[in-house]
Amino acid sequence: MERGSSSDEEEDRLNLIPQNDDVKHHLPSPRRSAFHIDDLHSTVRRRFALLHFNKKYLLAVLLPLLILVLYFSTDIHSLFPSHLRFDRMRESELRALYLLRQQQLGLFTLWNTSQLRADNNSFAPSTALLDDVKSAVLKQISLNKQIQQVLLSPHRPANGSVSEFGADFQDPSFGAGYGFDGCRKVDQKLNERRTIEWKPKSNKYLFAICVSGQMSNHLICLEKHMFFAALLNRVLVIPSSKVDYQYNKVLDIEHVNQCLGRKVVVSFEEFSEARKNHMHIDRVICYFSQPQPCYADEEHIKKLKSLGVSMGKPEPAWVEDIKKPTKRTVQDVQSKFASDDDVIAIGDVFYADVEQDWVMQPGGPIAHKCKTLIEPSRLIMLTAQRFIQTFLGKNFISLHFRRHGFLKFCNVKTPSCFFPIPQAADCIIRTVEKANTPVIYLSTDAAESETSLLQSLVVLNGKAVPLVKRPPRNSAEKWDALLYRHGLEDDSQVEAMLDKTICAMSSVFIGAPGSTFTEDILRLRKDWGSASMCDEYLCQGEEPNFIADNE
């Protein structure tokens, strides 16, 4: 369009100029009258033009003088304060950016030097130490980049691109030659694992009782019961679905027996058949005495009795409060709970603190040939894999974003663990940048208003990072067909375990501090070998920037 317009103008000029010349050459010479009227008019016009020219000349001379007088007599800064403030701000920010750039280049030099020395074996520190140094440098570079982005943000034009004076501050990227993965898998040092053998007597049982909290609490309770059963050489009886969760929907109980190569756990139904319906708990030795014996309320006892389970009077092994559990040893347990009785119960042990370092190690404290004893059922595992293949791919972050009921729970703790969404988004972005992942799997009970705001704020380098949740059932999608084929659709516990499984399979996991749901995911990641150096609790090391008063 511009090129055509320009050609038209040039053509017009070529046509007009000769016409004007022709007109000028063909005009008749003006005639002079007897009274020289034309000369008079000409003289007047010349004098008026001269006077007008003199005024312009005078104005041209006086105007600079006037500006100089105003400059020295007036505070020029007060006339244009906003512009000058902007210039000073701009100058300061650009100076800061220049210094940050110098710091960044220095950090990259340090990175290259350490890598070169490591490659040449000029010094021989431990691999772990070298990785720690590299990780520290990487964090500084990442922080530097964040500061640059913040300082550049006021100078970005509306289209989001970096303005011309910010173009020189682009962050150099890590090439494959650096040979360091800041979010590498954690070495679990399985060869250093401390274990005990679980070889129960076939006619001696430990009757599991788990009543505290939700499913995640119960799974932790079951895991500890297995440790107690191994210490006491007893078969563990899994609770009935009529008094507890329906574990066979989410767990493969037989998997535990296969991992040990012997019968170590039985279902309630198997126990009932083996005891010929004489389901009497011979001795109830309570691990916890407070707030009530065995931490089992009357309602739970009534449910057990309705199944035909009878029991003697509970007897506390010691004075133990769930709010202040005492650290106990293997010897303490064996001395207090050893018994010749066929069937014993010790009540809920979720809060028990026995050999925590031993119990919490990867794979647990019991010797077995699997990665972990308590894990999701095969159907849930396959469904999780199909979901990941459909929506996420190999490289993704999983986020357990606990919100419902968490505000009150967190605010009675010091410090609180409930973060405002903008602050949470900043923390998530930092992890995304470290992990270099394109997508986040969101496991949450938050309302749509909260997740929508979170999605709008999780933006890195001008690009939104998708937050993916499990979609509603759609017959056109086949990733969840196995669950529906086996009648497990719309089961809240199955869906919760599916969420855990997807999170446990992610490249990096961000958990909710204080949540046993998160703790069970961390256990699976540790046991499966999927735990990452970048796994962390949301905004780990920070406190909420605003905390509401308690009631």
Side-chain angles (χ1 to χ4, degrees):
M1 294 294 292
E2 291 182 359
R3 187 172 299 171
S5 175
S6 178
S7 300
D8 291 342
E9 290 176 2
E10 290 174 2
E11 186 176 352
D12 288 342
R13 288 195 199 97
L14 291 174
N15 292 332
L16 287 173
I17 291 173
Q19 288 176 1
N20 290 339
D21 289 343
D22 291 343
V23 170
K24 192 183 299 182
H25 287 304
H26 291 87
L27 282 176
S29 299
R31 295 181 180 180
R32 300 169 64 88
S33 68
F35 297 99
H36 305 287
I37 294 176
D38 289 338
D39 288 346
L40 178 61
H41 281 239
S42 241
T43 302
V44 171
R45 279 197 300 270
R46 283 196 301 271
R47 289 182 178 176
F48 181 82
L50 181 61
L51 180 61
H52 186 64
F53 173 78
N54 289 339
K55 284 183 179 180
K56 286 184 178 179
Y57 181 81
L58 184 62
L59 183 61
V61 172
L62 291 178
L63 186 58
L65 293 175
L66 180 61
I67 292 174
L68 286 174
V69 170
L70 287 173
Y71 180 84
F72 287 107
S73 62
T74 309
D75 182 8
I76 196 68
H77 296 276
S78 64
L79 296 177
F80 310 103
S82 59
H83 295 288
L84 290 176
R85 279 198 299 270
F86 173 78
D87 288 341
R88 285 196 297 270
M89 179 186 71
R90 186 168 183 258
E91 181 181 354
S92 299
E93 289 179 345
L94 291 175
R95 176 62 179 168
L97 283 168
Y98 170 79
L99 295 175
L100 284 169
R101 179 63 173 174
Q102 296 303 110
Q103 180 200 44
Q104 187 184 52
L105 292 175
L107 288 170
F108 270 101
T109 301
L110 175 61
W111 179 280
N112 288 328
T113 302
S114 65
Q115 184 67 27
L116 182 62
R117 289 181 178 177
D119 292 341
N120 294 335
N121 293 320
S122 57
F123 67 107
S126 67
T127 303
L129 178 61
L130 184 60
D131 284 345
D132 288 343
V133 172
K134 289 182 176 181
S135 179
V137 174
L138 180 61
K139 287 179 181 178
Q140 289 299 318
I141 294 171
S142 177
L143 177 62
N144 180 280
K145 181 180 178 182
Q146 292 174 43
I147 297 172
Q148 291 188 48
Q149 294 298 324
V150 169
L151 288 172
L152 278 172
S153 59
H155 306 290
R156 293 182 184 274
N159 60 11
S161 61
V162 179
S163 55
E164 68 279 0
F165 55 85
D168 292 336
F169 294 96
Q170 295 303 297
D171 184 46
S173 60
F174 289 100
Y178 288 105
F180 175 69
D181 180 9
C183 292
R184 65 192 183 281
K185 302 302 179 187
V186 176
D187 180 7
Q188 301 294 354
K189 301 179 180 179
L190 295 177
N191 58 334
E192 301 176 8
R193 185 165 163 248
R194 177 190 177 192
T195 61
I196 62 168
E197 295 290 333
W198 186 1
K199 296 181 177 180
K201 298 176 182 178
S202 60
N203 63 338
K204 301 295 182 181
Y205 299 94
L206 174 61
F207 196 94
I209 297 176
C210 297
V211 297
S212 60
Q214 303 296 320
M215 171 67 87
S216 296
N217 295 44
H218 286 227
L219 293 179
I220 294 171
C221 175
L222 277 182
E223 186 180 26
K224 290 185 177 181
H225 261 106
M226 289 181 183
F227 184 44
F228 281 87
L231 293 177
L232 301 172
N233 298 318
R234 290 179 175 273
V235 174
L236 184 67
V237 181
I238 303 298
S240 168
S241 60
K242 295 181 180 178
V243 297
D244 203 338
Y245 290 106
Q246 194 168 349
Y247 291 107
N248 61 350
K249 281 190 173 183
V250 296
L251 303 175
D252 184 357
I253 301 300
E254 194 56 33
H255 164 80
V256 181
N257 294 324
Q258 292 170 355
C259 289
L260 275 85
R262 63 182 71 95
K263 198 77 168 179
V264 294
V265 296
V266 295
S267 66
F268 178 82
E269 290 72 24
E270 289 176 299
F271 170 71
S272 173
E273 185 178 346
R275 299 291 292 176
K276 308 294 185 186
N277 291 321
H278 180 63
M279 294 179 292
H280 179 70
I281 300 176
D282 302 311
R283 193 175 177 194
V284 183
I285 312 168
C286 296
Y287 187 96
F288 285 103
S289 59
Q290 298 173 1
Q292 64 263 353
C294 287
Y295 196 47
D297 54 26
E298 287 297 325
E299 183 181 355
H300 192 81
I301 302 299
K302 288 179 180 178
K303 287 181 179 179
L304 287 175
K305 289 181 178 179
S306 69
L307 293 174
V309 178
S310 59
M311 64 183 69
K313 185 179 180 181
E315 49 181 290
W318 43 43
V319 176
E320 189 82 356
D321 191 339
I322 65 164
K323 294 182 179 179
K324 296 179 180 179
T326 305
K327 289 185 180 295
R328 304 291 183 178
T329 65
V330 167
Q331 292 74 24
D332 292 334
V333 172
Q334 290 175 331
S335 64
K336 290 291 185 179
F337 298 95
S339 172
D340 290 331
D341 295 290
D342 290 343
V343 184
I344 68 169
I346 60 177
D348 196 310
V349 291
F350 171 75
Y351 294 100
D353 186 357
V354 179
E355 305 283 5
Q356 282 294 88
D357 292 341
W358 192 0
V359 171
M360 297 299 291
Q361 65 184 337
I366 300 170
H368 57 83
K369 60 183 180 181
C370 301
K371 290 183 176 180
T372 186
L373 293 180
I374 297 181
E375 69 178 14
S377 68
R378 181 66 177 162
L379 285 177
I380 292 177
M381 297 268 280
L382 288 173
T383 303
Q385 291 172 0
R386 292 180 176 188
F387 179 87
I388 292 170
Q389 184 177 357
T390 303
F391 294 100
L392 302 171
K394 180 181 179 180
N395 187 26
F396 69 98
I397 288 176
S398 58
L399 167 65
H400 176 215
F401 193 54
R402 171 82 183 273
R403 301 299 276 185
H404 180 69
F406 216 47
L407 176 58
K408 185 175 180 179
F409 169 81
C410 282
N411 278 2
V412 297
K413 299 177 67 176
T414 304
S416 173
C417 52
F418 191 89
F419 293 89
I421 289 179
Q423 185 180 359
D426 287 341
C427 298
I428 293 166
I429 290 169
R430 290 198 294 269
T431 303
V432 171
E433 187 173 33
K434 284 190 295 184
N436 191 28
T437 52
V439 66
I440 298 172
Y441 177 67
L442 180 61
S443 172
T444 186
D445 56 3
E448 186 68 26
S449 57
E450 294 186 66
T451 56
S452 296
L453 176 59
L454 183 67
Q455 176 64 88
S456 70
L457 295 174
V458 180
V459 178
L460 181 63
N461 297 328
K463 184 179 179 181
V465 182
L467 301 178
V468 179
K469 294 191 292 184
R470 282 185 298 104
R473 170 65 175 161
N474 187 333
S475 59
E477 298 174 2
K478 299 303 180 185
W479 63 269
D480 56 353
L482 285 174
L483 298 183
Y484 283 83
R485 197 180 303 159
H486 289 82
L488 296 175
E489 69 277 10
D490 301 325
D491 185 290
S492 60
Q493 296 308 319
V494 171
E495 291 182 347
M497 185 59 79
L498 179 58
D499 261 13
K500 281 186 184 179
T501 309
I502 296 171
C503 289
M505 292 178 173
S506 64
S507 305
V508 173
F509 173 61
I510 303 173
S515 167
T516 52
F517 189 94
T518 280
E519 294 307 314
D520 205 35
I521 293 170
L522 291 173
R523 176 188 66 83
L524 285 173
R525 291 179 64 78
K526 180 177 57 180
D527 292 353
W528 286 349
S530 59
S532 163
M533 295 290 289
C534 293
D535 287 358
E536 62 182 11
Y537 297 109
L538 181 64
C539 294
Q540 187 168 316
E542 296 184 26
E543 294 186 16
N545 58 32
F546 184 88
I547 301 175
D549 293 335
N550 289 322
E551 297 177 38

